[in-house]
Amino acid sequence: MRDNRIRITDTADILYAAANEKTTLVYTPDGEFYVHYTISELMTQLPANFFRCHRSYCVNLDKITEIAPGLNSTYHVFLPGIPHPVLVSRSNLKAFRERMQL
């Protein structure tokens, strides 16, 4: 939702989502939108190509363009059109490596 309008978006267009208290910000190539779900609730509605990479983030694995090592055994994931990386936490690192076949 943005500007009191409901945006219909194909899940394939979602780059990643970030927790924001009781709502979640969903990032697409067309901008960012709020959904009235927690990130956990949103994850139950997303297809299998989405991965909960951090307590506050889930990412569309099909949209990842680059993976870089971060501090303290983490990864930074880069997505098209997003200027900042998305963090893969240490606790999710093993599952992420398996899903990405690293």
Side-chain angles (χ1 to χ4, degrees):
M1 183 183 301
R2 185 168 65 185
D3 301 328
N4 288 328
R5 294 181 179 200
I6 296 172
R7 169 87 179 210
I8 307 300
T9 302
D10 188 339
T11 56
D13 293 333
I14 297 173
L15 301 170
Y16 82 103
N20 185 20
E21 295 183 18
K22 294 189 185 220
T23 62
T24 301
L25 263 173
V26 174
Y27 292 84
T28 72
D30 296 330
E32 54 191 62
F33 304 91
Y34 282 99
V35 293
H36 293 287
Y37 300 111
T38 64
I39 199 158
S40 295
E41 293 168 338
L42 180 63
M43 280 298 296
T44 65
Q45 298 181 34
L46 293 172
N49 60 316
F50 282 83
F51 179 74
R52 183 83 178 260
C53 59
H54 185 277
R55 187 176 75 151
S56 299
Y57 305 113
C58 68
V59 65
N60 184 340
L61 298 175
D62 296 338
K63 301 294 184 179
I64 294 173
T65 57
E66 187 177 338
I67 301 167
L71 298 175
N72 298 324
S73 300
T74 62
Y75 280 142
H76 291 154
V77 172
F78 294 88
L79 302 157
I82 303 295
H84 55 275
V86 176
L87 180 66
V88 178
S89 69
R90 283 183 294 170
S91 61
N92 295 325
L93 194 61
K94 182 178 179 184
F96 178 75
R97 289 175 57 87
E98 288 173 3
R99 289 284 302 273
M100 295 301 292
Q101 299 177 350
L102 299 175

